[in-house]
Amino acid sequence: MARARTGARALGAVLAAVLGASLAGCSSTGGKRAEDARKAQAAAGKSAVTTPRWTFAMVTHSGDGDTFWDIVQSGAEQAAAKDNINFLYSHSDEGQQQAQLVQAAIDKKVNGLIVSLAKPDAMKGVIAEAEKAGIPVITVNSGSEQSKAYGALTHIGQDETIAGEAVGDELDKRGRKKALCVLHEQGNVGHEQRCAGAKKTFGGELQNLYVDGTNMPDVQASIEAKLQSDRSIDSVVTLGAPFADAAVQARKTAESKAEVDTFDLNAKVAAGLKAGTLGFAVDQQPYLQGYQAVDLLWLYKYNADVLGGGRPVLTGPQIITKTDAAELEEYTERGTR
């Protein structure tokens, strides 16, 4: 009996050692292995679920070459690969054309729709058509105030007024007295809300400057002319990452000392923050907007899940400064921040 007990103890010790080594391996490398496996699945076009091959369409108000929407689309595509979704993407910065693209998706009888509402009046009727057709809709980025009224399941993005107010507060912290808010898309309600929010909390003077965002030389020339004519402007706030560089160039040409700040984050903005050519950026996490929109539509189709409790699911704002840039630079370079 003593010999048997000794043998049992020995076997138990061996099993414990093997299990301990296994757990140690999982704790140190398990997360990496899981991530590598997920990436391999996505690269091979394999999903992580066995639900039907539903088709989701995303239709945004993006103009051509807008890197912000590239990041949104990237997030949506990653979630679609995981969720076994056939993902369709289209865009137009013209409200009526965007509505026509949504109608085309409805005519294709897609299983879910993701839309932005930068120009909500143009989109109201077609969102109603989607509802009549039984197609669930999630809104992203723009139109948080109209989303629920139009019948969307939820809205994913930042509250543009709150984001603008955060900018006004940050300008005050930096001791700024006169700021220029550069609007690059007329008729975009979200842009108006950003500047209005900044004006509400900023203790100094804030002026709006409307530019043609489809013509970057015009954007730069307009900002340059304003800085040359008014030397008291000590801050320029652009409403999109691609326009921050134009503002930096305009400041240089105008020989102005105004700080350039911007909404949104990309690799060039992160580098500018790190180098000190930009003061701060307002990140609303576009990758998360795309990823969450697809994931939440999938959850709704699969399990009737809805997030937000009737209120927007906020992805921002987050104020990013030079101290944050180094940490986020890796993610901006891979196109996920």
Side-chain angles (χ1 to χ4, degrees):
M1 290 293 292
R3 192 177 299 170
R5 284 195 296 270
T6 302
R9 283 196 298 269
L11 178 59
V14 170
L15 289 173
V18 172
L19 181 59
S22 174
L23 289 174
C26 286
S27 63
S28 61
T29 63
K32 185 177 186 303
R33 286 174 180 167
E35 177 66 8
D36 288 345
R38 185 194 66 76
K39 289 179 178 178
Q41 273 189 325
K46 296 179 181 178
S47 67
V49 299
T50 57
T51 45
R53 181 75 169 169
W54 292 314
T55 295
F56 295 167
M58 174 182 275
V59 184
T60 74
H61 66 275
S62 170
D64 293 332
D66 191 332
T67 57
F68 175 90
W69 288 102
D70 292 341
I71 302 172
V72 175
Q73 185 179 350
S74 176
E77 288 172 346
Q78 286 289 316
K82 174 180 69 70
D83 293 339
N84 193 32
I85 298 300
N86 176 37
F87 179 71
L88 308 176
Y89 181 78
S90 58
H91 65 91
S92 174
D93 57 2
E94 295 293 334
Q96 291 301 325
Q97 290 182 15
Q98 185 190 4
Q100 289 170 10
L101 291 170
V102 172
Q103 185 61 58
I106 294 170
D107 294 342
K108 289 178 182 177
K109 298 182 179 180
V110 297
N111 304 108
L113 267 169
I114 302 162
V115 301
S116 60
L117 299 178
K119 295 165 183 173
D121 290 344
M123 298 292 289
K124 184 176 182 179
V126 77
I127 300 302
E129 289 298 318
E131 189 175 8
K132 287 180 185 177
I135 300 172
V137 178
I138 285 179
T139 60
V140 296
N141 183 259
S142 300
S144 61
E145 294 182 0
Q146 294 83 8
S147 177
K148 185 177 180 179
Y150 285 13
L153 297 177
T154 193
H155 178 84
I156 302 171
Q158 71 179 3
D159 184 295
E160 302 292 18
T161 299
I162 292 174
E165 290 172 355
V167 168
D169 288 337
E170 186 66 23
L171 291 173
D172 280 339
K173 287 179 185 177
R174 292 166 177 265
R176 302 296 158 178
K177 302 300 181 185
K178 191 169 187 178
L180 196 63
C181 196
V182 183
L183 298 93
H184 61 267
E185 184 183 341
Q186 291 195 37
N188 186 319
V189 293
H191 290 182
E192 296 287 348
Q193 289 167 347
R194 289 178 183 181
C195 292
K199 189 171 186 177
K200 179 180 176 182
T201 56
F202 181 39
E205 180 184 347
L206 185 141
Q207 297 179 358
N208 288 355
L209 176 66
Y210 293 89
V211 297
D212 180 3
T214 64
N215 185 342
M216 203 60 77
D218 176 73
V219 173
Q220 182 175 330
S222 298
I223 298 172
E224 180 184 333
K226 191 68 177 176
L227 292 176
Q228 286 177 334
S229 65
D230 189 348
R231 294 291 175 180
S232 64
I233 295 173
D234 57 17
S235 184
V236 177
V237 179
T238 62
L239 302 187
F243 306 96
D245 189 55
V248 169
Q249 296 302 319
R251 175 185 63 190
K252 183 178 178 180
T253 307
E255 298 181 345
S256 168
K257 294 182 179 180
E259 177 181 276
V260 176
D261 309 303
T262 190
F263 280 78
D264 302 334
L265 185 69
N266 63 13
K268 185 169 277 190
V269 168
L273 291 170
K274 191 175 178 180
T277 56
L278 295 175
F280 67 87
V282 184
D283 185 21
Q284 60 174 307
Q285 302 183 100
Y287 180 89
L288 191 58
Q289 291 179 15
Y291 191 100
Q292 286 286 71
V294 169
D295 225 21
L296 289 185
L297 268 182
W298 177 83
L299 283 166
Y300 179 77
K301 293 286 293 182
Y302 172 67
N303 204 44
D305 290 317
V306 179
L307 286 184
R311 297 190 178 188
V313 177
L314 299 183
T315 63
Q318 179 183 10
I319 299 294
I320 306 296
T321 64
K322 185 175 184 177
T323 56
D324 309 302
E327 180 184 356
L328 297 177
E329 194 169 29
E330 172 191 352
Y331 307 129
T332 61
E333 288 175 353
R334 76 181 185 189
T336 57
R337 285 297 290 269

